[in-house]
Amino acid sequence: MDKFLDIDIKGVKASLPILPLPSGINIAFFNLHGDQKLTEHCGKELAKLLGDCEVLLTAETKGLQLTHVVARELNMPLYAVARKSKKLYMQDGLEVTYGASITTGKTQVFYLSQHDVDLIKGKKVGIVDDVVSTGESLAGLVKVVEEAGGIPYKNAFVLAEGDAKDRNDVIYLQSIPLL
């Protein structure tokens, strides 16, 4: 990788490798896995935007550590996780099929345990994830909240990619272009 997009996320700089997708477009790949400093910073900044939410929901895997930080900052002992595969303990939960994200290119399914359904029901839910681009994963998470009986309240991301920066249903820390 010899091309990078340099960005500043509320005072912390990151250099994102530019990667080609099978669709022919390039993305600046944002990865919080293993980056404790950036994860902590982004989580604390997102927490400032989500203080009036009653519970948080994220999708595995890239949103997990980010949402952990946000929940800790907001003194929320629990948050819900939409899984991408059905675990043994999830037999009594719900599942939601949603469209193809920019990185997967295929229809996907979110699974939510009954424990997390109960956590969300009747509450104002803040959806937290790393990047919003086409909005397909976000639509799936909103559908999860609705089917669990929660209230989709805020949709918060570290980065808004491409036209996602113009959406009025998302909040984010920084925007990046599709390349």
Side-chain angles (χ1 to χ4, degrees):
M1 290 179 285
D2 55 354
K3 292 185 179 183
F4 292 86
L5 176 67
D6 294 323
I7 62 171
D8 183 299
I9 304 171
K10 302 283 185 184
V12 172
K13 295 186 184 330
S15 190
L16 311 181
I18 298 173
L19 302 175
L21 294 179
S23 64
I25 62 171
N26 293 319
I27 61 167
F29 183 67
F30 182 65
N31 185 11
L32 289 173
H33 287 314
D35 193 330
Q36 183 270 339
K37 178 183 175 186
L38 187 58
T39 300
E40 284 287 324
H41 173 73
C42 293
K44 288 176 181 180
E45 290 295 324
L46 286 176
K48 295 174 186 177
L49 305 173
L50 295 168
D52 55 346
C53 295
E54 295 175 291
V55 68
L56 303 175
L57 169 69
T58 193
E60 68 175 3
T61 61
K62 288 171 64 181
L64 288 173
Q65 66 270 23
L66 179 65
T67 305
H68 177 90
V69 173
V70 176
R72 184 192 67 221
E73 292 298 306
L74 296 176
N75 293 314
M76 290 182 181
L78 298 171
Y79 57 90
V81 179
R83 307 231 179 241
K84 294 181 182 176
S85 62
K86 192 173 191 175
K87 309 298 181 196
L88 184 60
Y89 64 89
M90 303 176 86
Q91 301 309 310
D92 57 352
L94 63 85
E95 66 182 67
V96 168
T97 302
Y98 64 100
S101 74
I102 194 168
T103 52
T104 63
K106 62 180 181 175
T107 301
Q108 298 182 97
V109 179
F110 280 135
Y111 300 90
L112 198 65
S113 69
Q114 187 60 45
H115 173 271
D116 285 353
V117 169
D118 294 340
L119 182 64
I120 287 173
K121 188 174 184 170
K123 295 190 178 124
K124 295 186 294 186
V125 180
I127 293 172
V128 179
D129 211 348
D130 60 341
V131 180
V132 59
S133 187
T134 64
E136 290 296 331
S137 297
L138 173 57
L141 290 169
V142 167
K143 190 173 177 185
V144 165
V145 171
E146 292 170 345
E147 288 196 19
I151 303 155
Y153 188 64
K154 288 186 176 176
N155 306 313
F157 300 87
V158 176
L159 300 176
E161 185 175 53
D163 292 340
K165 72 182 182 317
D166 300 323
R167 293 176 62 132
N168 61 9
D169 64 337
V170 300
I171 52 179
Y172 56 90
L173 302 179
Q174 181 60 275
S175 64
I176 59 173
L178 281 170
L179 305 165

